[in-house]
Amino acid sequence: MDKGLHFTFSVITTVLLLRESSQTGEKNDPKMLAASKSGFGTDSRGPEAGLPTLTVTTILEDPYVMVRSAELEGYCIDLLKALAAMLHFSYKVKVVGDGQYGAVSSSGNWTGMIGEILRQEADIAVAPLTVTSAREEVVSFTTPFLQTGIGILLRKDTVSQEMSFFHFLAPFSKETWTGLLFAYVLTSFCLFLVARLSPCEWNEPKSEENHFTFLNSLWFGAGALALQGVTPRPKALSVRVIAAVWWLFTIALLAAYIANFTALLSSGSEQLPIQTFEDLVKQRKLEFGTLYGSSTFYFFKNSKNPIHQMIYEYMDKRRDHVLVKTYQEAVQRVMESNYAFIGESISQDLAAARHCNLIRAPEVIGARGFGIATAQASLWTKKLSIAVLKLRESGDLDYLRNKWWETSCLHKSRDRWSPLQPQALGGLFLTLAIGLALGVIAAVVELSNKSRHAAGHVKKSCCSVFTEEMCTRLRIKENTRQSQETSGRANA
């Protein structure tokens, strides 16, 4: 009996020691440590509660999945919790072994999270995994939970330009400057025309000299642009209407110029010289690359666009030097060297928000989405898709997006300076056009009134007198020359 008890006690002790050794080995693994301490290894609604348990593979990438205080957290972890609550399942989270998203290797096998699903090492993949046609052929994807594209991540000081010699023209776009020049010439011409037509400005064309010549009208308009009072001074109501509208136009225009020029100086840099992927190919200062084996790399490989083909050939020839293995390595390399990273625009927005010396170029190509990958013919694909749609409709996905992307640096990146476009001053140009039209109409009315009174004295029709007056005022130089020649002959 004593020997039986002793044998039983020895067996129990051995089993406990082996179990403790196994748990110690798991705790020494940092990935298992993160999973166990965060409660993902054994969910509170685990098998004992009668819930199905899914093995979830993911990848460490900020802000989707991160290790904080030996626990996993991030956008994808919060999304997984919400999906589990809606669909009533338990889950165990494991970080992908090779650190890859999923691509076909040289041996023809899939790597990364896609490979783990195909080998049945995981049931689903919840990560920033791009939905592509190649992946869709071997696994199934749910409705995308995030929309993104392909962008260019740059360091500000590597792409900033020195201030050009004509930096003072930068506050307005070329179209705005062209519109301003046209408005200035048109206004000066209207001043010249109205001053000649108005009898209040020029009563006797044959004996008086009109001070509003075309050159003087140009000088008057330029003086108003500089907020300086210049002669000649308008006398007629029609000329004063045009002058007042032009003064109002110049005051608003100068206020907009000064405000935009101040914003330009405070921003400390000009517009990015690299706006598009074509600009990236043409320059020689920056190297550029993407993640090794990522969907972005294969996007450029399969694209028929000549610019995209040039980008792929550049990266393929220098793949050992320009391709990076992790997103963190890519961000670090952009910050420390003359390197531009081509990748998911939504992740680049986060990098620019977290690191204020980084910026994303404006152009985004290849619209795509992040989806949850499952095995083909899995019953969970449709359930997860419907749950993602419900989270989107309820605004929960927007909440998670704001929660993990919103930082203080993000607000600064939104205040990006840009030249003032003509659309912003459309109302101002319209007001000037209306003022010019009113001035011309007023000049015609003034000339018509004088012609009506003169027609009564000379007993001619008002239209004939109006026509004679207009011809006389518009051909004053010719008439003056003829009168001078006549007087010269008379003196001879």
Side-chain angles (χ1 to χ4, degrees):
M1 186 66 179
D2 293 339
K3 290 182 179 181
L5 290 174
H6 180 71
F7 176 79
T8 304
F9 179 79
S10 300
V11 171
I12 294 175
T13 303
T14 303
V15 171
L16 291 176
L17 288 174
L18 290 174
R19 183 178 180 182
E20 183 179 356
S21 176
S22 175
Q23 291 179 350
T24 303
E26 291 179 357
K27 291 180 180 180
N28 290 334
D29 188 350
K31 297 176 182 178
M32 294 301 296
L33 178 65
S36 61
K37 287 194 174 182
S38 59
F40 299 143
T42 55
D43 193 273
S44 58
R45 296 164 301 172
E48 65 276 9
L51 299 177
T53 301
L54 299 180
T55 301
V56 181
T57 180
T58 188
I59 191 169
L60 294 178
E61 181 178 328
D62 188 7
Y64 303 98
V65 179
M66 303 170 289
V67 178
R68 297 280 177 85
S69 302
E71 293 184 357
L72 290 179
E73 63 177 27
Y75 179 94
C76 289
I77 300 302
D78 287 351
L79 174 63
L80 187 57
K81 290 180 180 178
L83 294 174
M86 292 180 64
L87 301 179
H88 307 289
F89 65 85
S90 176
Y91 55 86
K92 295 185 295 183
V93 177
K94 62 186 295 290
V95 178
V96 60
D98 57 6
Q100 301 293 321
Y101 289 86
V104 181
S105 63
S106 57
S107 61
N109 298 322
W110 280 85
T111 63
M113 292 176 282
I114 302 296
E116 290 190 350
I117 293 179
L118 293 176
R119 294 188 298 269
Q120 298 183 353
E121 298 174 6
D123 298 310
I124 62 174
V126 182
L129 190 61
T130 306
V131 180
T132 64
S133 58
R135 291 171 178 170
E136 188 74 51
E137 290 180 354
V138 293
V139 298
S140 296
F141 280 97
T142 65
T143 300
F145 56 85
L146 267 181
Q147 298 294 334
T148 182
I150 300 176
I152 309 170
L153 184 66
L154 309 158
R155 196 173 76 247
K156 291 181 179 179
D157 58 351
T158 59
V159 295
S160 60
Q161 294 177 318
E162 295 181 357
M163 289 189 178
S164 64
F165 190 72
F166 296 98
H167 191 64
F168 67 94
L169 298 176
F172 289 163
S173 65
K174 295 179 181 179
E175 294 80 6
T176 304
W177 283 116
T178 303
L180 173 59
L181 179 61
F182 178 77
Y184 166 64
V185 174
L186 179 62
T187 303
S188 300
F189 177 76
C190 288
L191 280 172
F192 165 73
L193 178 64
V194 170
R196 283 186 173 276
L197 293 179
S198 175
C200 300
E201 190 70 41
W202 196 27
N203 192 26
E204 294 295 336
K206 296 181 179 179
S207 60
E208 288 185 37
E209 180 182 358
N210 193 313
H211 297 290
F212 270 99
T213 63
F214 187 67
L215 290 179
N216 285 344
S217 299
L218 289 173
W219 179 245
F220 183 88
L225 280 172
L227 298 181
Q228 301 296 320
V230 294
T231 55
R233 299 182 183 278
K235 300 176 183 178
L237 174 63
S238 55
V239 182
R240 289 179 176 179
V241 167
I242 294 179
V245 172
W246 177 246
W247 290 339
L248 177 64
F249 177 84
T250 55
I251 290 175
L253 190 74
L254 288 174
Y257 176 85
I258 294 173
N260 216 32
F261 192 60
T262 304
L264 170 62
L265 294 178
S266 62
S267 67
S269 62
E270 294 190 46
Q271 198 172 8
L272 285 176
I274 298 179
Q275 299 280 329
T276 64
F277 284 87
E278 184 176 359
D279 296 336
L280 184 64
V281 172
K282 290 180 178 179
Q283 59 83 38
R284 293 294 179 267
K285 183 179 179 181
L286 298 178
E287 297 179 323
F288 53 88
T290 186
L291 287 175
Y292 180 82
S294 64
S295 60
T296 301
F297 181 81
Y298 290 99
F299 170 84
F300 288 101
K301 180 180 180 180
N302 300 325
S303 175
K304 302 302 181 182
N305 188 303
I307 300 298
H308 299 170
Q309 281 295 311
M310 294 173 64
I311 294 176
Y312 168 73
E313 291 174 1
Y314 174 90
M315 295 189 299
D316 188 51
K317 291 179 181 178
R318 301 167 178 82
R319 61 168 58 213
D320 294 335
H321 183 61
V322 299
L323 297 184
V324 293
K325 295 182 179 180
T326 64
Y327 180 77
Q328 290 76 12
E329 179 186 350
V331 174
Q332 195 69 22
R333 187 167 177 180
V334 173
M335 295 177 62
E336 296 177 353
S337 63
N338 291 339
Y339 180 79
F341 173 62
I342 302 175
E344 303 293 346
S345 60
I346 192 170
S347 299
Q348 293 175 348
D349 289 338
L350 177 71
R354 299 285 175 84
H355 308 281
C356 296
N357 62 333
L358 299 182
I359 190 170
R360 178 177 61 80
E363 186 181 33
V364 176
I365 61 174
R368 72 242 332 253
F370 292 154
I372 300 174
T374 66
Q376 286 187 334
S378 173
L379 299 177
W380 289 100
T381 307
K382 187 174 181 179
K383 295 180 180 180
L384 291 171
S385 293
I386 295 175
V388 169
L389 290 174
K390 290 182 178 179
L391 291 175
R392 179 180 299 168
E393 293 169 356
S394 64
D396 290 338
L397 293 183
D398 292 333
Y399 167 76
L400 292 180
R401 173 72 165 78
N402 295 331
K403 174 183 176 181
W404 292 103
W405 267 259
E406 190 72 19
T407 66
S408 59
C409 195
L410 185 60
H411 294 293
K412 295 179 182 179
S413 64
R414 287 175 179 168
D415 299 333
R416 193 176 297 171
W417 174 88
S418 61
L420 200 62
Q421 299 296 325
Q423 294 83 355
L425 301 174
L428 194 59
F429 281 99
L430 178 61
T431 303
L432 177 63
I434 294 175
L436 296 180
L438 290 177
V440 173
I441 293 173
V444 173
V445 171
E446 292 171 351
L447 186 59
S448 299
N449 291 334
K450 181 182 179 182
S451 300
R452 189 181 300 109
H453 291 297
H457 293 292
V458 298
K459 296 182 179 181
K460 293 183 179 180
S461 65
C462 181
C463 291
S464 61
V465 174
F466 178 82
T467 304
E468 291 176 1
E469 285 283 345
M470 181 171 292
C471 293
T472 301
R473 294 173 184 278
L474 295 180
R475 298 174 182 175
I476 185 62
K477 289 187 177 181
E478 180 181 350
N479 293 340
T480 302
R481 189 181 301 111
Q482 292 177 356
S483 64
Q484 289 176 352
E485 291 176 357
T486 303
S487 62
R489 291 173 183 173
N491 293 334

